[in-house]
Structure formats: C-alpha cells, structure tokens
Amino acid sequence: MYDLQTIHLKINGVEEEVSVKPYATLLDVLRDQMGHIEVKEGCAVGDCGACAVFLDGVPACSCLVLARQADRAEIVTAAGLGTPENLHPLQEAFMDYGGIQCGFCTPGLIISAKSLLDQNPHPTRQDVKVALSGNYCRCTGYEQVIEAVLAAAAKMDGRDG
Ligand code: FES
Ligand code: FES
C-alpha cells in the first residue's frame, strides 16, 4: 500500500491541486489525471522527447520526473504557448511548413524549438538540428520541421515570442 500525496502545480497559468501516487511520473499525472493529452508518451524512458514540457522554465522530459518532485512547479506544455485564436509563431509555422504529419512528436518538438529560440533568436540550420536532436519524428524526415523553426525565428525577429 502507499499514501497518496497532494501536490500543487501551475499548468499553463492555471493553479491545480492533484493527489498522486508516490511513483507516478509527471507525464502520467499530466496525461491521465489532468487531461493534458497534448503531452505525449513515446518511449517513457527519456529517449524520444515526445513528453517534453517546460518545468520552471527549463525543458524537461516529463517521463523522467516524479510528479511529487514537481510539487509547486510551474509547467508549460506546447498547448500553453498559444491559443487556437492566437497561435504561437512556432505553432503556426509547423502547420504552414508541413512540420506536422501524424503530430505525435509535435508538442515535444515545439517545446525544444521554443527553448532554442528563447536562448538564440537567430539560429542557424545547424543550431536547429542540434536543438532538436533529442526529439524523434518518424514522419517528416525533419526537413519541414527545421524549415518551420527557421521561419518562426524570422517571424519573431524583433518581437517577444
Ligand atoms: S516519453 Fe519521455 S522521452 Fe520519450
Ligand atoms: S509527425 Fe509523426 S512522428 Fe513526427
């Protein structure tokens, strides 16, 4: 038997409280208990990047974090970067450039791309490749994804992303 632990998370700007099992990962809790199905489960062992979220501003594989370790953390998922009416330039560019096919990898790619552009608003193609090297995509061949990130960077040039 185990005791549930109540934790507090701020997810995409909304304060939430949830009771978690001691061994539940942040990924499990976000998806299965809190309905954040935009956070994808691929490998569940830190290899594919599908489950990436910002955890207190830093990109993290949510499958590698115990939910209780994230108590009182601020989490931003790919869905939290924009709204359907006002997409983030990265979200828009992924659609415009064909960076989304099945879409399974997309939330994780967008988190990695956002992290890159936060640190380096003028990335080279090689910078983008390196920044996305921890994210697997089985559909696009990556070219459209790279084009999308470069296009978003150009669009965001001089703007707060
Ligand atoms: S599901 Fe977390 S890295 Fe693959
Ligand atoms: S779009 Fe299908 S895995 Fe990337």
Side-chain angles (χ1 to χ4, degrees):
M1 281 303 292
Y2 49 76
D3 292 326
L4 294 176
Q5 179 179 341
T6 300
I7 64 169
H8 298 82
L9 302 171
K10 188 172 185 182
I11 306 175
N12 297 338
V14 179
E15 305 270 3
E16 311 247 21
E17 183 179 291
V18 61
S19 296
V20 303
K21 295 174 185 170
Y23 52 82
T25 65
L26 180 60
L27 172 63
D28 293 337
V29 170
L30 288 172
R31 278 187 63 84
D32 302 339
Q33 292 184 241
M34 309 190 82
H36 286 281
I37 57 172
E38 73 273 22
V39 186
K40 302 300 185 194
E41 178 169 359
C43 64
V45 292
D47 283 339
C48 75
C51 64
V53 297
F54 283 106
L55 179 61
D56 287 333
V58 178
C61 289
S62 58
C63 70
L64 296 183
V65 178
L66 288 175
R68 57 200 168 93
Q69 293 177 301
D71 188 21
R72 311 216 173 258
E74 178 159 6
I75 291 159
V76 177
T77 72
L81 298 180
T83 65
E85 299 74 30
N86 186 21
L87 294 175
H88 187 279
L90 278 166
Q91 296 169 324
E92 208 164 45
F94 268 66
M95 291 198 302
D96 291 347
Y97 285 79
I100 302 175
Q101 291 188 20
C102 81
F104 192 86
C105 66
T106 310
L109 278 166
I110 288 193
I111 294 292
S112 295
K114 174 75 164 59
S115 176
L116 168 68
L117 299 187
D118 286 349
Q119 297 167 66
N120 177 5
H122 306 287
T124 63
R125 172 173 286 270
Q126 184 62 20
D127 293 335
V128 176
K129 282 187 182 178
V130 170
L132 303 184
S133 59
N135 294 84
Y136 290 179
C137 173
R138 294 299 174 106
C139 304
T140 64
Y142 299 99
E143 278 306 307
Q144 298 96 314
V145 170
I146 294 165
E147 290 300 325
V149 176
L150 291 170
K155 188 170 180 186
M156 292 162 67
D157 199 14
R159 283 180 14 194
D160 181 9

